[in-house]
Amino acid sequence: MTVLIQNMLHEIEQLPDYEVFGRVTGVSGMLVEVGGAHGALSVGDRCALIARTGRRVPCEVVGFRAGCALLMAFTALEGIGLGCRAEVTESQPAIYPHPAWLGRVIDAFGEPVDGKGPLPKGDVPYAVRATPPSAHLRGRVKGKVDLGVRALNTFLTCCRGQRMGIFSGSGVGKSSLLAMMARHTRLDATVVGLIGERGREAREFLEDDLGPDGLARSVVVCATSDESPLMRRQAAHTAMAVAEFFRDTGRDILVLMDSITRFAMAQREISLSAGEPPASKGYTPSVFAELPKLLERAGPGAGGVGSITGLFTVLVEGDDMNEPISDAVRGILDGHVVLDRAIAERGRYPAINVLRSVSRTMPACNSVEENALVGRARRLMATYEDMAELIRLGAYRTGSNPEVDEAVHYSAPLEQFLAQAKTEATDLAAGYAALEQILSH
Ligand SMILES: Nc1ncnc2c1ncn2[C@@H]1O[C@H](COP(=O)(O)OP(=O)(O)O)[C@@H](O)[C@H]1O
Ligand SMILES: [Mg+2]
């Protein structure tokens, strides 16, 4: 009860001293035109349309045209007609995170959606669309993160404050890999953003993958595919804002986001509706401007206080790694993990193609011995891959090249090393030890 009263007081404090409103002058598709208040509005502002039934429809200003503001709604537009009132509510949308949000599932507005009652609100507003700390103020990425996945811990070591992408076509295991990390990673807290995925998947993720223990140290921000593009886009930003709150308390945070592609698609829907012309593959220029604004929010905190390590999944359409979104995201992040359909079809999960993946910060955070060990394993795998076709065809004769013989010798144990069941966790030390063990035989 006290939480409710506190929240009410909080809402009252937020009320503006005076009210500005306009009127709906047109509705087309998902877009609402509002006249009369454009002097008080700018892009990104929050408004509420008052439907004829009295229902309030939250909206965001997405553009201006011919003297009118263009708004998009977060929820359905039923009941909105010409002349309906449009109240200006917030100019810098913010959420008020609180430590008690751990263990809860929230929507893009920071409201609980798990049926576990109201959420307490913190005192400090966190802008939903905050700008990332400037590069000069930020600490450097340092210290390894134990992701609990052998293949990543050894070959693609991730450091605190690093941002990595997980790339693959559909059904190759991105979400499953993310789920493994959600369960096995040992950092101070996890923020999971489920953006635009199927409702069934969100449920399965919470109940089967995360489980009660995982959920207890996580905040899950969820906007499923049936929700409006504004909800999906904002949910991604809300997840980052929650992570920033926990980072500012000096903690090391893991952000897992599934998926960045759905975030980009939401931005595409929004900007196409607002009349922006498409550029590459139907994606508008603003999609490519929005991506770094979201992804750059992960990273080390200013002054070395706390960090946000980010892992983001990217759906690669038609397994074409050069399609525009993958290409753009790969350029922004500090590393990419490529999942390979051919490997998944062989039945080896997680289907990470180590040779095509890279962690840009890894060489600097590893010891000389670790780099040497991983480098040797990589060379063996590369040699095997070059010859794999010939070996399979039986065209390679053992003994003709000692290097290839060595690669063949180690290929089965290395494959076995890379395979890992979803429920199995291994830590950093165990991963290196197992790799060393394999290569010393
Ligand atoms: N570690 C794993 N062990 C066994 N099967 C897996 C594993 N990872 C993925 N799979 C299989 O791959 C399927 C698709 O995985 P999913 O993570 O949903 O792919 P994506 O998110 O890339 O579309 C799963 O339903 C499961 O059958
Ligand atoms: Mg998925």
Side-chain angles (χ1 to χ4, degrees), residues 96-122:
Y96 294 81
H98 189 276
W101 288 19
L102 284 172
R104 302 294 301 266
V105 186
I106 59 174
D107 67 7
F109 293 113
E111 297 296 334
V113 289
D114 51 6
K116 292 186 191 163
L119 270 180
K121 291 199 167 142

PDB file of all heavy atoms in Angstrom, residues 96-122:
ATOM      1  N   TYR A  96      12.125   6.037 -13.268  1.00  0.00           N
ATOM      2  CA  TYR A  96      12.676   6.212 -11.920  1.00  0.00           C
ATOM      3  C   TYR A  96      13.037   4.856 -11.338  1.00  0.00           C
ATOM      4  O   TYR A  96      12.329   4.328 -10.495  1.00  0.00           O
ATOM      5  CB  TYR A  96      11.648   6.937 -11.035  1.00  0.00           C
ATOM      6  CG  TYR A  96      11.397   8.355 -11.485  1.00  0.00           C
ATOM      7  CD1 TYR A  96      10.531   8.617 -12.547  1.00  0.00           C
ATOM      8  CD2 TYR A  96      12.040   9.422 -10.875  1.00  0.00           C
ATOM      9  CE1 TYR A  96      10.318   9.917 -12.989  1.00  0.00           C
ATOM     10  CE2 TYR A  96      11.836  10.727 -11.307  1.00  0.00           C
ATOM     11  CZ  TYR A  96      10.975  10.974 -12.362  1.00  0.00           C
ATOM     12  OH  TYR A  96      10.779  12.250 -12.799  1.00  0.00           O
ATOM     13  N   PRO A  97      14.161   4.286 -11.778  1.00  0.00           N
ATOM     14  CA  PRO A  97      14.490   2.927 -11.348  1.00  0.00           C
ATOM     15  C   PRO A  97      14.796   2.862  -9.850  1.00  0.00           C
ATOM     16  O   PRO A  97      15.193   3.858  -9.232  1.00  0.00           O
ATOM     17  CB  PRO A  97      15.744   2.585 -12.162  1.00  0.00           C
ATOM     18  CG  PRO A  97      15.880   3.644 -13.187  1.00  0.00           C
ATOM     19  CD  PRO A  97      15.195   4.851 -12.645  1.00  0.00           C
ATOM     20  N   HIS A  98      14.622   1.694  -9.293  1.00  0.00           N
ATOM     21  CA  HIS A  98      14.779   1.450  -7.866  1.00  0.00           C
ATOM     22  C   HIS A  98      15.424   0.072  -7.729  1.00  0.00           C
ATOM     23  O   HIS A  98      15.147  -0.813  -8.534  1.00  0.00           O
ATOM     24  CB  HIS A  98      13.377   1.473  -7.232  1.00  0.00           C
ATOM     25  CG  HIS A  98      13.383   1.442  -5.737  1.00  0.00           C
ATOM     26  ND1 HIS A  98      13.482   0.273  -5.031  1.00  0.00           N
ATOM     27  CD2 HIS A  98      13.297   2.442  -4.822  1.00  0.00           C
ATOM     28  CE1 HIS A  98      13.468   0.558  -3.731  1.00  0.00           C
ATOM     29  NE2 HIS A  98      13.357   1.867  -3.580  1.00  0.00           N
ATOM     30  N   PRO A  99      16.281  -0.115  -6.702  1.00  0.00           N
ATOM     31  CA  PRO A  99      16.929  -1.438  -6.569  1.00  0.00           C
ATOM     32  C   PRO A  99      15.926  -2.587  -6.494  1.00  0.00           C
ATOM     33  O   PRO A  99      16.228  -3.713  -6.889  1.00  0.00           O
ATOM     34  CB  PRO A  99      17.717  -1.311  -5.261  1.00  0.00           C
ATOM     35  CG  PRO A  99      17.942   0.148  -5.086  1.00  0.00           C
ATOM     36  CD  PRO A  99      16.791   0.861  -5.722  1.00  0.00           C
ATOM     37  N   ALA A 100      14.711  -2.307  -6.015  1.00  0.00           N
ATOM     38  CA  ALA A 100      13.717  -3.384  -5.880  1.00  0.00           C
ATOM     39  C   ALA A 100      13.165  -3.849  -7.226  1.00  0.00           C
ATOM     40  O   ALA A 100      12.325  -4.738  -7.275  1.00  0.00           O
ATOM     41  CB  ALA A 100      12.563  -2.921  -4.987  1.00  0.00           C
ATOM     42  N   TRP A 101      13.642  -3.240  -8.318  1.00  0.00           N
ATOM     43  CA  TRP A 101      13.196  -3.693  -9.643  1.00  0.00           C
ATOM     44  C   TRP A 101      13.832  -5.020 -10.013  1.00  0.00           C
ATOM     45  O   TRP A 101      13.393  -5.686 -10.931  1.00  0.00           O
ATOM     46  CB  TRP A 101      13.527  -2.646 -10.719  1.00  0.00           C
ATOM     47  CG  TRP A 101      12.666  -1.435 -10.647  1.00  0.00           C
ATOM     48  CD1 TRP A 101      11.933  -1.017  -9.580  1.00  0.00           C
ATOM     49  CD2 TRP A 101      12.432  -0.473 -11.689  1.00  0.00           C
ATOM     50  NE1 TRP A 101      11.273   0.145  -9.882  1.00  0.00           N
ATOM     51  CE2 TRP A 101      11.566   0.500 -11.162  1.00  0.00           C
ATOM     52  CE3 TRP A 101      12.898  -0.333 -13.002  1.00  0.00           C
ATOM     53  CZ2 TRP A 101      11.135   1.597 -11.914  1.00  0.00           C
ATOM     54  CZ3 TRP A 101      12.471   0.761 -13.752  1.00  0.00           C
ATOM     55  CH2 TRP A 101      11.596   1.705 -13.209  1.00  0.00           C
ATOM     56  N   LEU A 102      14.899  -5.383  -9.305  1.00  0.00           N
ATOM     57  CA  LEU A 102      15.522  -6.692  -9.555  1.00  0.00           C
ATOM     58  C   LEU A 102      14.492  -7.790  -9.309  1.00  0.00           C
ATOM     59  O   LEU A 102      13.752  -7.763  -8.326  1.00  0.00           O
ATOM     60  CB  LEU A 102      16.728  -6.899  -8.636  1.00  0.00           C
ATOM     61  CG  LEU A 102      17.991  -6.128  -9.020  1.00  0.00           C
ATOM     62  CD1 LEU A 102      19.044  -6.259  -7.939  1.00  0.00           C
ATOM     63  CD2 LEU A 102      18.538  -6.606 -10.353  1.00  0.00           C
ATOM     64  N   GLY A 103      14.452  -8.738 -10.216  1.00  0.00           N
ATOM     65  CA  GLY A 103      13.501  -9.836 -10.071  1.00  0.00           C
ATOM     66  C   GLY A 103      12.162  -9.562 -10.729  1.00  0.00           C
ATOM     67  O   GLY A 103      11.236 -10.357 -10.607  1.00  0.00           O
ATOM     68  N   ARG A 104      12.055  -8.419 -11.410  1.00  0.00           N
ATOM     69  CA  ARG A 104      10.755  -8.042 -11.977  1.00  0.00           C
ATOM     70  C   ARG A 104      10.813  -7.922 -13.498  1.00  0.00           C
ATOM     71  O   ARG A 104      11.873  -7.769 -14.093  1.00  0.00           O
ATOM     72  CB  ARG A 104      10.319  -6.682 -11.382  1.00  0.00           C
ATOM     73  CG  ARG A 104      10.220  -6.678  -9.878  1.00  0.00           C
ATOM     74  CD  ARG A 104       9.116  -7.594  -9.365  1.00  0.00           C
ATOM     75  NE  ARG A 104       7.822  -7.235  -9.870  1.00  0.00           N
ATOM     76  CZ  ARG A 104       6.945  -6.439  -9.240  1.00  0.00           C
ATOM     77  NH1 ARG A 104       7.246  -5.939  -8.072  1.00  0.00           N
ATOM     78  NH2 ARG A 104       5.771  -6.181  -9.783  1.00  0.00           N
ATOM     79  N   VAL A 105       9.618  -7.987 -14.086  1.00  0.00           N
ATOM     80  CA  VAL A 105       9.479  -7.820 -15.531  1.00  0.00           C
ATOM     81  C   VAL A 105       8.703  -6.530 -15.775  1.00  0.00           C
ATOM     82  O   VAL A 105       7.625  -6.342 -15.205  1.00  0.00           O
ATOM     83  CB  VAL A 105       8.709  -9.002 -16.171  1.00  0.00           C
ATOM     84  CG1 VAL A 105       8.695  -8.874 -17.684  1.00  0.00           C
ATOM     85  CG2 VAL A 105       9.322 -10.323 -15.748  1.00  0.00           C
ATOM     86  N   ILE A 106       9.265  -5.625 -16.582  1.00  0.00           N
ATOM     87  CA  ILE A 106       8.619  -4.333 -16.810  1.00  0.00           C
ATOM     88  C   ILE A 106       8.430  -4.086 -18.301  1.00  0.00           C
ATOM     89  O   ILE A 106       9.016  -4.769 -19.139  1.00  0.00           O
ATOM     90  CB  ILE A 106       9.453  -3.169 -16.199  1.00  0.00           C
ATOM     91  CG1 ILE A 106      10.856  -3.132 -16.824  1.00  0.00           C
ATOM     92  CG2 ILE A 106       9.530  -3.315 -14.701  1.00  0.00           C
ATOM     93  CD1 ILE A 106      11.686  -1.942 -16.377  1.00  0.00           C
ATOM     94  N   ASP A 107       7.592  -3.108 -18.621  1.00  0.00           N
ATOM     95  CA  ASP A 107       7.386  -2.738 -20.027  1.00  0.00           C
ATOM     96  C   ASP A 107       8.236  -1.511 -20.365  1.00  0.00           C
ATOM     97  O   ASP A 107       9.063  -1.064 -19.558  1.00  0.00           O
ATOM     98  CB  ASP A 107       5.901  -2.515 -20.327  1.00  0.00           C
ATOM     99  CG  ASP A 107       5.339  -1.285 -19.606  1.00  0.00           C
ATOM    100  OD1 ASP A 107       6.126  -0.527 -18.991  1.00  0.00           O
ATOM    101  OD2 ASP A 107       4.119  -1.083 -19.662  1.00  0.00           O
ATOM    102  N   ALA A 108       8.000  -0.963 -21.545  1.00  0.00           N
ATOM    103  CA  ALA A 108       8.823   0.143 -22.023  1.00  0.00           C
ATOM    104  C   ALA A 108       8.713   1.389 -21.129  1.00  0.00           C
ATOM    105  O   ALA A 108       9.607   2.227 -21.117  1.00  0.00           O
ATOM    106  CB  ALA A 108       8.426   0.495 -23.451  1.00  0.00           C
ATOM    107  N   PHE A 109       7.611   1.515 -20.370  1.00  0.00           N
ATOM    108  CA  PHE A 109       7.432   2.677 -19.498  1.00  0.00           C
ATOM    109  C   PHE A 109       7.967   2.441 -18.087  1.00  0.00           C
ATOM    110  O   PHE A 109       7.808   3.283 -17.210  1.00  0.00           O
ATOM    111  CB  PHE A 109       5.945   3.036 -19.395  1.00  0.00           C
ATOM    112  CG  PHE A 109       5.365   3.527 -20.687  1.00  0.00           C
ATOM    113  CD1 PHE A 109       4.404   2.781 -21.351  1.00  0.00           C
ATOM    114  CD2 PHE A 109       5.787   4.714 -21.245  1.00  0.00           C
ATOM    115  CE1 PHE A 109       3.877   3.228 -22.550  1.00  0.00           C
ATOM    116  CE2 PHE A 109       5.262   5.164 -22.437  1.00  0.00           C
ATOM    117  CZ  PHE A 109       4.309   4.419 -23.095  1.00  0.00           C
ATOM    118  N   GLY A 110       8.527   1.259 -17.861  1.00  0.00           N
ATOM    119  CA  GLY A 110       8.996   0.936 -16.518  1.00  0.00           C
ATOM    120  C   GLY A 110       7.860   0.499 -15.612  1.00  0.00           C
ATOM    121  O   GLY A 110       8.001   0.485 -14.386  1.00  0.00           O
ATOM    122  N   GLU A 111       6.729   0.123 -16.189  1.00  0.00           N
ATOM    123  CA  GLU A 111       5.597  -0.355 -15.389  1.00  0.00           C
ATOM    124  C   GLU A 111       5.661  -1.879 -15.314  1.00  0.00           C
ATOM    125  O   GLU A 111       6.014  -2.534 -16.293  1.00  0.00           O
ATOM    126  CB  GLU A 111       4.262   0.061 -16.041  1.00  0.00           C
ATOM    127  CG  GLU A 111       4.043   1.566 -16.126  1.00  0.00           C
ATOM    128  CD  GLU A 111       3.937   2.214 -14.753  1.00  0.00           C
ATOM    129  OE1 GLU A 111       3.543   1.531 -13.801  1.00  0.00           O
ATOM    130  OE2 GLU A 111       4.280   3.410 -14.640  1.00  0.00           O
ATOM    131  N   PRO A 112       5.304  -2.447 -14.167  1.00  0.00           N
ATOM    132  CA  PRO A 112       5.401  -3.912 -14.037  1.00  0.00           C
ATOM    133  C   PRO A 112       4.376  -4.637 -14.907  1.00  0.00           C
ATOM    134  O   PRO A 112       3.250  -4.172 -15.061  1.00  0.00           O
ATOM    135  CB  PRO A 112       5.109  -4.153 -12.552  1.00  0.00           C
ATOM    136  CG  PRO A 112       4.356  -2.952 -12.100  1.00  0.00           C
ATOM    137  CD  PRO A 112       4.821  -1.800 -12.922  1.00  0.00           C
ATOM    138  N   VAL A 113       4.786  -5.756 -15.500  1.00  0.00           N
ATOM    139  CA  VAL A 113       3.846  -6.531 -16.309  1.00  0.00           C
ATOM    140  C   VAL A 113       3.823  -8.002 -15.863  1.00  0.00           C
ATOM    141  O   VAL A 113       3.351  -8.863 -16.571  1.00  0.00           O
ATOM    142  CB  VAL A 113       4.193  -6.471 -17.825  1.00  0.00           C
ATOM    143  CG1 VAL A 113       3.896  -5.120 -18.405  1.00  0.00           C
ATOM    144  CG2 VAL A 113       5.644  -6.848 -18.073  1.00  0.00           C
ATOM    145  N   ASP A 114       4.372  -8.247 -14.650  1.00  0.00           N
ATOM    146  CA  ASP A 114       4.456  -9.638 -14.201  1.00  0.00           C
ATOM    147  C   ASP A 114       3.391  -9.992 -13.184  1.00  0.00           C
ATOM    148  O   ASP A 114       3.391 -11.086 -12.615  1.00  0.00           O
ATOM    149  CB  ASP A 114       5.857  -9.923 -13.631  1.00  0.00           C
ATOM    150  CG  ASP A 114       6.269  -8.893 -12.592  1.00  0.00           C
ATOM    151  OD1 ASP A 114       5.433  -8.038 -12.226  1.00  0.00           O
ATOM    152  OD2 ASP A 114       7.425  -8.931 -12.142  1.00  0.00           O
ATOM    153  N   GLY A 115       2.483  -9.063 -12.918  1.00  0.00           N
ATOM    154  CA  GLY A 115       1.392  -9.351 -11.990  1.00  0.00           C
ATOM    155  C   GLY A 115       1.843  -9.515 -10.545  1.00  0.00           C
ATOM    156  O   GLY A 115       1.144 -10.094  -9.730  1.00  0.00           O
ATOM    157  N   LYS A 116       3.045  -8.998 -10.215  1.00  0.00           N
ATOM    158  CA  LYS A 116       3.523  -9.127  -8.833  1.00  0.00           C
ATOM    159  C   LYS A 116       3.326  -7.843  -8.034  1.00  0.00           C
ATOM    160  O   LYS A 116       4.041  -7.587  -7.069  1.00  0.00           O
ATOM    161  CB  LYS A 116       5.017  -9.497  -8.831  1.00  0.00           C
ATOM    162  CG  LYS A 116       5.307 -10.892  -9.361  1.00  0.00           C
ATOM    163  CD  LYS A 116       6.791 -11.207  -9.167  1.00  0.00           C
ATOM    164  CE  LYS A 116       7.199 -12.453  -9.909  1.00  0.00           C
ATOM    165  NZ  LYS A 116       8.659 -12.528 -10.061  1.00  0.00           N
ATOM    166  N   GLY A 117       2.382  -7.018  -8.464  1.00  0.00           N
ATOM    167  CA  GLY A 117       2.082  -5.811  -7.700  1.00  0.00           C
ATOM    168  C   GLY A 117       2.900  -4.618  -8.138  1.00  0.00           C
ATOM    169  O   GLY A 117       3.754  -4.737  -9.017  1.00  0.00           O
ATOM    170  N   PRO A 118       2.603  -3.438  -7.520  1.00  0.00           N
ATOM    171  CA  PRO A 118       3.263  -2.196  -7.955  1.00  0.00           C
ATOM    172  C   PRO A 118       4.754  -2.199  -7.643  1.00  0.00           C
ATOM    173  O   PRO A 118       5.208  -2.912  -6.761  1.00  0.00           O
ATOM    174  CB  PRO A 118       2.551  -1.104  -7.151  1.00  0.00           C
ATOM    175  CG  PRO A 118       1.966  -1.807  -5.977  1.00  0.00           C
ATOM    176  CD  PRO A 118       1.653  -3.205  -6.415  1.00  0.00           C
ATOM    177  N   LEU A 119       5.467  -1.371  -8.400  1.00  0.00           N
ATOM    178  CA  LEU A 119       6.911  -1.256  -8.225  1.00  0.00           C
ATOM    179  C   LEU A 119       7.236   0.043  -7.516  1.00  0.00           C
ATOM    180  O   LEU A 119       6.679   1.082  -7.856  1.00  0.00           O
ATOM    181  CB  LEU A 119       7.579  -1.197  -9.600  1.00  0.00           C
ATOM    182  CG  LEU A 119       8.006  -2.479 -10.279  1.00  0.00           C
ATOM    183  CD1 LEU A 119       8.644  -2.140 -11.616  1.00  0.00           C
ATOM    184  CD2 LEU A 119       8.991  -3.230  -9.417  1.00  0.00           C
ATOM    185  N   PRO A 120       8.150   0.017  -6.538  1.00  0.00           N
ATOM    186  CA  PRO A 120       8.577   1.286  -5.951  1.00  0.00           C
ATOM    187  C   PRO A 120       9.365   2.103  -6.970  1.00  0.00           C
ATOM    188  O   PRO A 120       9.972   1.537  -7.872  1.00  0.00           O
ATOM    189  CB  PRO A 120       9.475   0.847  -4.796  1.00  0.00           C
ATOM    190  CG  PRO A 120       9.899  -0.534  -5.117  1.00  0.00           C
ATOM    191  CD  PRO A 120       8.830  -1.143  -5.975  1.00  0.00           C
ATOM    192  N   LYS A 121       9.327   3.428  -6.820  1.00  0.00           N
ATOM    193  CA  LYS A 121      10.078   4.271  -7.747  1.00  0.00           C
ATOM    194  C   LYS A 121      11.214   4.957  -7.028  1.00  0.00           C
ATOM    195  O   LYS A 121      11.059   5.383  -5.888  1.00  0.00           O
ATOM    196  CB  LYS A 121       9.147   5.310  -8.367  1.00  0.00           C
ATOM    197  CG  LYS A 121       8.160   4.633  -9.307  1.00  0.00           C
ATOM    198  CD  LYS A 121       7.529   5.581 -10.286  1.00  0.00           C
ATOM    199  CE  LYS A 121       6.826   4.762 -11.348  1.00  0.00           C
ATOM    200  NZ  LYS A 121       5.580   5.316 -11.789  1.00  0.00           N
ATOM    201  N   GLY A 122      12.333   5.074  -7.707  1.00  0.00           N
ATOM    202  CA  GLY A 122      13.485   5.744  -7.119  1.00  0.00           C
ATOM    203  C   GLY A 122      13.318   7.259  -7.178  1.00  0.00           C
ATOM    204  O   GLY A 122      12.324   7.771  -7.681  1.00  0.00           O
TER     205      GLY A 122
END
